[in-house]
Amino acid sequence: MPIDRRLLFYINWPLLGVAILLFLLGVLNLYSASGYRLEEGMSIAPYFNKQLIWGLMGMFSMIVFMFFDYRHLKTMAWPLFWTTVLLLLAVFFVGKTIYGAKRWLDLGFMNFQPSELAKIAVLIVGARILSKEREPLDFLRLAYVMGVGLILGGLIIKQPDLGSGLSVLMILGGMVLFRGVTPRVFKTALVCIPCLLPLSWFFLHDYQKQRIMTFLDPTKDPLGAGYHIIQSEIAIGSGGFWGKGFLEGTQSQLRFLPERHTDFAVAVFGEEWGFAGTMLLLSLFCFFLYQMVVIARDARGLFGSYLAAGVFFYFFWQILINTGMVLGLMPVVGIPLPFISYGGSATLVNFCLVGLVLNVSMRRFLFKQ
Amino acid sequence: MSDLYNHANQEPPRAGLILLQALILGVFCLFSIRLWYLQIHHGEDYARKARENQMRQESVFSPRGLIRDRNGDLLAVNEPAYALGLVREDCPDIDKTLHQVAAWTGRDFDELKKIYKKKRRRVKPFEPLILISDLSFGEVAMIDANRLRWPGLEVQVRPRRQYRYGELLAHVLGYVAEANEKEMEKRPELALGDEVGKQGIEFMLEDRMRGVKGLVQFEVDVNGRRLQERTLKHPRAGHEISLSIDLGLQKLAMDWLEEEAGGVVVMDANTGQLWALATAPSYNSNDFSSGLSSEQWAELRDNPLHPMQNRVIQSVYPPGSVFKHVVAGAGLHYDMLDPKETVNCTGQLKLGRHVFRCWKKGGHGKTDFMKALVQSCDVYFYKMGKKLGVDRMSEFAMNSGFGKLTGIQLPHEKSGNIPTRKWKRKRFGEGWQGGDNFNMAIGQGYTLVTPLQVAQFFAGVINGGKLLKPLLLKDDKTVVKGRIPLTPEQLKMLEDALIETVDSPRGTCRRIRTKGVIVGGKTGTAQVVRLTDELKELKDAQIPYKFRDHAWMAAIAEKGNRKFAIAALVEHGLHGSWNGNMVKAIIEYLFDGTITLKPEIKKQQAREARLITVPSKKKKPAGAQ
């Protein structure tokens, strides 16, 4: 298929640019977090190299995701949904158990996690359903939409993988909010959700309750679970205004900061680049998210809008939860920060989704009426 | 295709778009404020915390002060002990490491895990948590050789208290052991695993004995290896002290006490310094510094002879005839005693229907003051007691140092008991009776004293009446705590009676006569129970050990300016004269340096005496004869 030159012209270059910039900052930060100061054989340099390779693969996938017409996804939505459900079910029977949870399918050359696919599937199916809704959702329609999410989310939570399961529900939930609900639904939710939240306490595992308790008072267990939070705050706080400088973060370099290349990567960043650097990083993320709002606004057709909104929430929740946790505003949950935290498949998926919204953006002037 | 695009011209929901932008703005504001709070507002605090965090600090142990005897011989020293510490932060797999430690040292994994769990809450992740406090050299070598493969393990050298003569001086020196929660609360400078004095001098002089810990600061890398080290504070060793105890004399006394339960005090009558403070049976102070096993503890606790008891200051006994000098003193003081006046002793004295007997069945006949003391005539003192009454006797006894603490620098001293009318009413709900006077006058009944009080009193008799605070440190200044209320002439009379008891052919202390030394003495036999008729029939050697009388001996010895008072007590040792050989050996040592050890045969007899079983008869409290 010959590529229309106008497609290149309409690509949202700022989004593309900021995504790559964020990735590069992440790699740079990872280099520092890898502990270059440590002696040979002790550093985690392999993480740094791996991340670069995954990033390159991600960017390639991003291009692939740009150059087919996203509107075909609309017809593929339901087949994709059912495929995902089948794969999630398959996990229960032929899944591979790692760290005590059955989450993986062994594909021979790599371990595949269907819950990752579910996150993509949910935003495509969600976009398809919601784009057909002409009115704000009433109870019935809301139940239908969330039912779809509950099938996917429920299967994932059962694995058990509470984090991914809730992510699926939260992405869909975000999209529902974007669509809007009737005032009655809104008011009911406003009353019911705060009442139901405490109930969920009884469904949590002990370690999850522990985390929440620790979050509320990290000093209660300063050497155990509260250690992460305290060390993270020390690392960030000690950065001051200008930071200690690249590779100069003592907390991260001397390994007082745990999980510093994955979940707590931004603490390393905060320590080395200070308030100035972290505010810049925060601004880049805001800009990144804002570009998706722009794409959702300008998209030709509601399906594209919802797709962009879905991707928006995909990133938004991660940024909110990860940063909130690192800053000590939320309990510790293992959610990475897009592009900054180390993680191969996550990086791949991130770039694919950026590709997807770029795809929406570059086709915004096609088929004008 | 048309289905694909049929909503193409619909507008995205406006409210939704506004919501997304609001979310971005909200998160941005929230995080900005939080960043400002952490990095700007509290930036300095966190920066300080970060510095403390990467710069680990470690204590440098300071050795406790050495302890010497009066001649400079070392009694307590410090030896390096090797402890195994685990630094959690550096240890990748605690369980695996503990298994390895168990394999190396032959200790139980579960035991190690228990120690780990118990201590982990109180030790910072980057501080060594002491798993084992006494590694052997072999274990140290093994662990050191494998250090690099097992990050997080570290061998610490810390001084450990070592007592050269573990059992000889246990009750004087006491011991050290790991500080408990309460002690750590009281002394904030103590850390988990630090040793503190728990008993004896180690406890009393804790602040002087313990040094000041030093502090080093170092930067650490991933594996807890030190990059740079800097001494922040040099450690300072504890103060050295010299006891007034003479090691040789202490050894001699302990040898004589061997196989007995009892105590000996040797006091310099001029200064109050104690040259020997022996109590038996004893325990080994060293057992405590390396941590007592529960079996060892149970053995100490359940031993019927109570080795942890310091019999010289913590046990109280009826003084028996040793108390007659106190009663005689009271008689002189209140001017109710004419030394020339005689009493006819027929071997017994009646009070109402009750008969009070003299120890000598046939009686002493005409007995004056001197004869009464030298031959220990009970009847003379029954009459004396009746004449004086409880009020005068107890007043004089208390003014002579009985019934109150001597103030020795050892914990848990007991004051004993000097009865009064008020005391008896409170204690038994009944008034003082005539018979009580009789009993009190011969040192039986309710009167209870410690051997140290006896030594203090007899030292006073020969030093002009000064009641000296017993001192344990060579450098301590003499403290006069009170005076025996007697004139020098009256004191001289008591002293003469003591000397006569040794010199006179009929005296009870003839066997302690020592050439070239003026020696005086008084024996005492303190009843433990009122013997039943059945037991009375038995010969001494057949009376069960625990029903036998306690044997006392108080002695004085002087030559030139050197004056000593000695008090010896052997529990269930039958008659006081028994102690004579021991006291003579002590006097010989003090003035000639001669060492006479206890013959094996005596030790054997003592051992056997304790084996005689007790017939199943009810025990009755000590009382009148």
Side-chain angles (χ1 to χ4, degrees):
Chain A
M1 182 174 85
I3 288 170
D4 193 329
R5 275 177 169 249
R6 281 181 304 169
L7 285 178
L8 287 180
F9 182 75
Y10 290 134
I11 286 176
N12 185 326
W13 292 106
L15 178 63
L16 184 63
V18 78
I20 291 172
L21 185 58
L22 281 170
F23 172 72
L24 291 178
L25 281 176
V27 170
L28 193 72
N29 191 54
L30 189 58
Y31 177 73
S32 182
S34 306
Y36 83 102
R37 259 167 64 163
L38 311 176
E39 280 170 46
E40 198 80 24
M42 289 185 178
S43 76
I44 47 172
Y47 290 133
F48 169 74
N49 297 333
K50 274 189 192 168
Q51 182 76 350
L52 265 181
I53 292 165
W54 279 107
L56 290 174
M57 283 167 61
M59 284 182 231
F60 177 77
S61 315
M62 178 172 70
I63 294 167
V64 171
F65 266 72
M66 283 161 70
F67 286 97
F68 65 90
D69 192 327
Y70 73 92
R71 281 165 290 200
H72 292 294
L73 289 175
K74 203 171 176 179
T75 47
M76 286 164 57
W78 287 110
L80 181 63
F81 172 78
W82 291 114
T83 310
T84 310
V85 170
L86 282 177
L87 286 172
L88 284 172
L89 285 173
V91 167
F92 287 106
F93 300 106
V94 293
K96 205 172 155 184
T97 307
I98 305 179
Y99 303 128
K102 252 187 187 179
R103 299 176 186 171
W104 287 267
L105 286 178
D106 192 349
L107 298 184
F109 60 96
M110 65 179 279
N111 289 326
F112 173 71
Q113 215 174 334
S115 57
E116 290 299 322
L117 182 65
K119 289 177 197 165
I120 299 175
V122 81
L123 61 90
I124 292 171
V125 174
R128 173 171 170 128
I129 299 170
L130 290 167
S131 62
K132 286 189 172 169
E133 298 299 331
R134 289 166 185 275
E135 301 292 332
L137 304 172
D138 57 19
F139 280 114
L140 204 64
R141 308 301 296 164
L142 179 67
Y144 167 56
V145 176
M146 289 317 285
V148 168
L150 275 173
I151 293 173
L152 292 174
L155 283 172
I156 297 170
I157 289 171
K158 201 87 185 87
Q159 284 180 356
D161 184 355
L162 185 67
S164 298
L166 286 182
S167 299
V168 165
L169 289 173
M170 284 164 71
I171 291 168
L172 195 60
M175 291 170 77
V176 166
L177 282 179
F178 178 66
R179 165 62 268 189
V181 289
T182 60
R184 261 190 71 195
V185 174
F186 185 74
K187 281 177 198 158
T188 313
L190 217 57
V191 174
C192 287
I193 290 175
C195 299
L196 290 176
L197 266 181
L199 274 181
S200 64
W201 180 257
F202 300 104
F203 296 99
L204 292 176
H205 288 278
D206 281 345
Y207 76 94
Q208 288 160 337
K209 289 178 188 171
Q210 176 75 33
R211 279 181 184 174
I212 291 169
M213 293 311 291
T214 306
F215 163 71
L216 295 174
D217 184 9
T219 53
K220 218 168 141 191
D221 187 13
L223 306 183
Y227 185 65
H228 283 55
I229 300 173
I230 293 169
Q231 293 298 325
S232 171
E233 284 181 12
I234 291 177
I236 293 176
S238 66
F241 190 83
W242 291 112
K244 296 176 186 169
F246 183 53
L247 304 180
E248 295 298 325
T250 51
Q251 295 307 286
S252 35
Q253 295 303 336
L254 296 173
R255 215 208 229 178
F256 291 101
L257 184 63
E259 310 285 345
R260 65 199 183 285
H261 60 289
T262 55
D263 295 345
F264 283 87
V266 82
V268 176
F269 196 91
E271 185 185 11
E272 301 198 336
W273 301 102
F275 183 70
T278 318
M279 285 303 285
L280 179 75
L281 183 71
L282 209 50
S283 307
L284 287 176
F285 271 117
C286 287
F287 184 73
F288 174 78
L289 290 172
Y290 181 70
Q291 288 309 311
M292 294 188 198
V293 180
V294 168
I295 290 167
R297 185 190 68 201
D298 297 342
R300 183 55 54 205
L302 287 181
F303 181 67
S305 280
Y306 286 112
L307 221 44
V311 176
F312 170 92
F313 279 108
Y314 174 86
F315 285 112
F316 177 79
W317 293 127
Q318 292 187 54
I319 294 166
L320 177 73
I321 293 171
N322 178 278
T323 314
M325 157 186 95
V326 172
L327 294 181
L329 294 169
M330 285 184 185
V332 173
V333 280
I335 287 186
L337 186 62
F339 299 114
I340 304 297
S341 295
Y342 168 79
S345 48
T347 306
L348 193 69
V349 173
N350 290 343
F351 273 119
C352 290
L353 290 179
V354 171
L356 194 61
V357 285
L358 288 173
N359 189 334
V360 175
S361 81
M362 58 203 266
R363 285 181 174 77
R364 66 185 188 270
F365 294 120
L366 289 182
F367 308 102
K368 271 188 186 169
Q369 285 188 340
Chain B
M1 282 300 265
S2 68
D3 183 54
L4 267 179
Y5 311 119
N6 60 0
H7 299 293
N9 53 358
Q10 279 184 2
E11 289 297 315
R14 283 183 62 87
L17 288 170
I18 292 168
L19 172 76
L20 298 194
Q21 292 173 54
L23 282 177
I24 296 174
L25 193 68
V27 165
F28 183 81
C29 290
L30 177 69
F31 287 171
S32 304
I33 292 167
R34 180 67 177 167
L35 276 175
W36 178 84
Y37 176 82
L38 288 178
Q39 298 190 304
I40 311 292
H41 191 246
H42 280 299
E44 264 315 303
D45 300 343
Y46 283 114
R48 183 176 45 74
K49 278 189 190 162
R51 280 195 296 275
E52 285 167 7
N53 216 341
Q54 53 156 317
M55 300 303 288
R56 296 188 189 174
Q57 290 184 349
E58 202 178 82
S59 298
V60 184
F61 295 100
S62 57
R64 280 179 90 81
L66 300 177
I67 304 180
R68 296 174 187 276
D69 87 333
R70 65 180 305 112
N71 305 312
D73 283 331
L74 279 170
L75 303 176
V77 295
N78 303 291
E79 282 185 346
Y82 299 93
L84 180 62
L86 177 84
V87 181
R88 285 217 294 299
E89 180 75 12
D90 302 333
C91 188
D93 187 334
I94 302 281
D95 273 3
K96 224 173 119 191
T97 308
L98 290 183
H99 272 298
Q100 186 60 55
V101 170
W104 276 332
T105 62
R107 279 161 176 87
D108 188 38
F109 169 78
D110 294 329
E111 200 69 26
L112 291 172
K113 184 88 185 181
K114 234 164 74 188
I115 296 172
Y116 170 79
K117 275 190 179 158
K118 203 175 112 193
K119 291 186 176 174
R120 62 168 294 171
R121 299 264 149 203
R122 280 151 60 202
V123 181
K124 287 181 193 147
F126 43 82
E127 275 177 359
L129 179 156
I130 302 299
L131 287 174
I132 301 171
S133 60
D134 53 342
L135 288 174
S136 70
F137 281 112
E139 290 164 348
V140 170
M142 180 94 86
I143 291 162
D144 233 33
N146 290 292
R147 258 193 93 162
L148 287 175
R149 291 202 301 129
W150 295 93
L153 287 183
E154 122 181 3
V155 173
Q156 272 199 344
V157 189
R158 32 170 88 198
R160 191 172 60 207
R161 202 56 152 172
Q162 179 69 34
Y163 301 95
R164 288 273 171 90
Y165 309 95
E167 299 199 341
L168 214 53
L169 279 147
H171 289 97
V172 175
L173 296 178
Y175 55 87
V176 295
E178 249 182 57
N180 59 30
E181 299 271 356
K182 242 162 102 189
E183 285 155 338
M184 282 190 282
E185 232 162 74
K186 217 172 92 191
R187 303 173 194 271
E189 68 274 22
L190 288 176
L192 197 65
D194 281 358
E195 289 186 326
V196 285
K198 300 266 186 178
Q199 280 293 343
I201 282 284
E202 295 272 31
F203 170 78
M204 297 301 282
L205 300 182
E206 172 63 19
D207 290 324
R208 227 195 292 183
M209 303 295 286
R210 196 182 55 244
V212 180
K213 277 192 270 187
L215 200 61
V216 285
Q217 191 182 52
F218 52 92
E219 196 181 347
V220 286
D221 72 1
V222 178
N223 288 334
R225 278 183 304 187
R226 302 168 183 211
L227 302 179
Q228 279 170 325
E229 199 171 298
R230 195 159 69 91
T231 303
L232 295 184
K233 201 165 100 187
H234 289 282
R236 215 178 61 218
H239 289 283
E240 188 176 320
I241 61 168
S242 293
L243 296 184
S244 59
I245 299 290
D246 183 303
L247 179 62
L249 187 64
Q250 179 81 9
K251 265 187 191 163
L252 184 77
M254 287 302 276
D255 174 75
W256 276 91
L257 283 175
E258 200 185 333
E259 298 299 339
E260 309 280 357
V264 178
V265 198
V266 180
M267 188 187 218
D268 183 323
N270 292 319
T271 62
Q273 291 199 356
L274 300 175
W275 283 49
L277 190 91
T279 168
S282 184
Y283 61 92
N284 191 333
S285 299
N286 288 315
D287 293 344
F288 288 86
S289 24
S290 47
L292 209 61
S293 71
S294 42
E295 295 90 59
Q296 277 175 306
W297 174 242
E299 209 180 297
L300 278 177
R301 190 194 50 205
D302 300 337
N303 187 327
L305 293 180
H306 306 293
M308 300 288 285
Q309 179 101 351
N310 186 339
R311 291 181 153 74
V312 175
I313 64 167
Q314 293 170 353
S315 301
V316 292
Y317 307 90
S321 300
V322 165
F323 199 65
K324 285 175 180 159
H325 280 261
V326 182
V327 177
L332 292 170
H333 174 68
Y334 294 107
D335 210 12
M336 297 180 100
L337 186 154
D338 177 358
K340 302 233 168 54
E341 204 177 308
T342 58
V343 162
N344 187 27
C345 169
T346 58
Q348 63 178 60
L349 188 69
K350 276 192 187 146
L351 181 76
R353 275 172 299 160
H354 209 96
V355 179
F356 287 82
R357 293 180 195 283
C358 183
W359 68 268
K360 194 172 178 184
K361 269 191 176 166
H364 290 92
K366 275 176 109 183
T367 306
D368 67 355
F369 172 77
M370 186 62 92
K371 185 179 173 190
L373 277 175
V374 170
Q375 296 189 26
S376 205
C377 174
D378 289 335
V379 171
Y380 184 92
F381 280 96
Y382 290 148
K383 290 195 166 166
M384 196 72 242
K386 189 181 169 194
K387 214 161 155 190
L388 282 166
V390 58
D391 302 329
R392 294 194 184 87
M393 281 192 287
S394 63
E395 189 191 5
F396 184 83
M398 283 196 230
N399 285 335
S400 300
F402 293 98
K404 50 189 169 191
L405 301 177
T406 65
I408 188 174
Q409 211 162 26
L410 286 178
H412 316 305
E413 189 192 357
K414 288 245 171 74
S415 60
N417 184 48
I418 295 298
T420 59
R421 291 176 197 278
K422 223 170 108 189
W423 174 86
K424 195 186 174 195
R425 183 157 291 287
K426 216 176 134 194
R427 177 79 172 70
F428 296 105
E430 54 185 63
W432 192 265
Q433 279 148 28
D436 292 333
N437 285 333
F438 282 27
N439 278 326
M440 188 173 179
I442 60 161
Q444 291 291 163
Y446 310 115
T447 307
L448 293 172
V449 303
T450 66
L452 185 61
Q453 287 168 335
V454 171
Q456 189 189 37
F457 173 77
F458 283 98
V461 169
I462 57 170
N463 70 10
K466 288 176 281 187
L467 291 170
L468 302 173
K469 178 181 168 183
L471 304 177
L472 275 173
L473 298 190
K474 202 179 162 190
D475 299 330
D476 276 350
K477 293 251 158 51
T478 300
V479 180
V480 181
K481 292 197 64 188
R483 255 168 207 290
I484 302 174
L486 290 176
T487 63
E489 293 75 37
Q490 291 167 330
L491 287 168
K492 185 81 180 45
M493 287 171 72
L494 291 181
E495 187 182 344
D496 286 345
L498 285 167
I499 294 166
E500 189 62 20
T501 311
V502 173
D503 288 346
S504 141
R506 312 204 77 162
T508 51
C509 288
R510 286 180 53 80
R511 69 178 69 201
I512 67 173
R513 214 181 329 181
T514 308
K515 232 173 134 187
V517 186
I518 302 167
V519 177
K522 183 80 198 74
T523 55
T525 306
Q527 268 191 333
V528 179
V529 290
R530 190 191 307 189
L531 292 181
T532 58
D533 290 337
E534 188 185 342
L535 286 173
K536 266 185 202 164
E537 302 298 309
L538 297 171
K539 289 215 168 101
D540 285 350
Q542 291 168 321
I543 299 173
Y545 176 70
K546 66 186 253 192
F547 291 158
R548 295 181 181 187
D549 297 338
H550 295 319
W552 276 101
M553 178 167 270
I556 55 162
E558 40 191 312
K559 184 180 182 181
N561 284 331
R562 300 182 70 208
K563 294 180 178 176
F564 290 94
I566 301 156
L569 175 114
V570 175
E571 284 184 12
H572 312 296
L574 290 169
H575 304 298
S577 57
W578 188 93
N579 296 0
N581 293 335
M582 163 163 70
V583 172
K584 183 174 161 70
I586 288 172
I587 294 170
E588 282 172 352
Y589 178 92
L590 281 170
F591 292 93
D592 303 329
T594 320
I595 296 173
T596 312
L597 295 179
K598 182 177 182 178
E600 276 305 317
I601 187 152
K602 281 278 176 207
K603 294 184 187 176
Q604 182 61 31
Q605 283 169 358
R607 235 176 312 219
E608 281 164 3
R610 283 218 305 273
L611 293 177
I612 295 176
T613 46
V614 185
S616 54
K617 281 280 167 192
K618 263 191 202 159
K619 204 166 91 178
K620 287 183 186 166
Q625 265 175 298

